[in-house]
Amino acid sequence: EAQVTQNPRYLITVTGKKLTVTCSQNMNHEYMSWYRQDPGLGLRQIYYSMNVEVTDKGDVPEGYKVSRKEKRNFPLILESPSPNQTSLYFCASRQYNAETQYFGPGTRLLVL
Amino acid sequence: GQQVMQIPQYQHVQEGEDFTTYCNSSTTLSNIQWYKQRPGGHPVFLIQLVKSGEVKKQKRLTFQFGEAKKNSSLHITATQTTDVGTYFCAGSRSGTYKYIFGTGTRLKVLA
């Protein structure tokens, strides 16, 4: 089944404790992206990647890092999480020249 | 920076009534996409519009892209309870692969 998976789905952590949210897709998509969703703000793009080893900042990249060492994986790294990074995070992917962007199920993060 | 405004923020309709959400960008867009997110779910791609003045239909849903490529609308005819959710537009500017999402319109359909 074609899908985008994220792990973990739920995470409670404390300020300053490094964490990684994994994202994997099995559709051989070139383009992958991370978004955060906050009430009243909609979805905001954090980082995106056009292909392996090619990443670029979205609208809200501060406090986040990403890497794209393999085509299927696009982990989101929070080196020193802060409470304002409490949010619902979505990973998404699509074929480079295709229209449809597929979203993962989301990761709900709470930073205390 | 580029902004995409979406109105209304909330809409409650009786089942069978029509519904429209509007999306306005501060800059000209290369294309615009529409998504639906059910409560507790993830965004699901509905459609992409690329051409100025383009109109596309999916059953009871009609999507329009403005002539100036700065605004768009989604119209649902005769809403059903299955239409419940939040509808987002997302715009992309020419030469970029960044998506700017609207704040969404939450639709509630009363049976």
Side-chain angles (χ1 to χ4, degrees), chain A residues 36-62:
Chain A
R36 60 178 289 174
Q37 185 173 29
D38 303 290
L41 296 177
L43 289 108
R44 293 178 292 169
Q45 195 169 29
I46 303 170
Y47 270 94
Y48 62 95
S49 169
M50 296 303 299
N51 213 325
V52 175
E53 302 292 359
V54 181
T55 63
D56 211 344
K57 296 177 181 179
D59 273 340
V60 289
E62 295 79 18

Side-chain angles (χ1 to χ4, degrees), chain B residues 19-50:
Chain B
F19 159 77
T20 304
T21 174
Y22 301 90
C23 194
N24 293 288
S25 170
S26 58
T27 58
T28 302
L29 300 171
S30 170
N31 62 73
I32 195 157
Q33 299 185 337
W34 285 91
Y35 293 82
K36 176 184 179 181
Q37 185 177 22
R38 292 183 186 275
H42 59 274
V44 174
F45 175 86
L46 294 176
I47 209 159
Q48 177 171 288
L49 304 168
V50 178

Side-chain angles (χ1 to χ4, degrees), chain B residues 67-85:
Chain B
E67 293 291 339
K69 300 182 76 173
K70 294 178 76 172
N71 56 70
S72 182
S73 66
L74 158 59
H75 179 82
I76 302 178
T77 303
T79 55
Q80 300 175 356
T81 54
T82 53
D83 294 325
V84 164

Side-chain angles (χ1 to χ4, degrees), chain B residues 53-64:
Chain B
E54 188 170 15
V55 178
K56 286 188 176 180
K57 292 191 176 185
Q58 288 180 349
K59 297 182 181 177
R60 293 178 295 104
L61 277 61
T62 302
F63 305 84
Q64 291 189 323

Side-chain angles (χ1 to χ4, degrees), chain B residues 1-22:
Chain B
Q2 181 184 1
Q3 289 187 321
V4 176
M5 305 300 294
Q6 198 172 343
I7 55 169
Q9 191 174 359
Y10 302 97
Q11 184 84 61
H12 294 182
V13 299
Q14 286 292 137
E15 189 174 20
E17 291 181 341
D18 291 357
F19 159 77
T20 304
T21 174
Y22 301 90

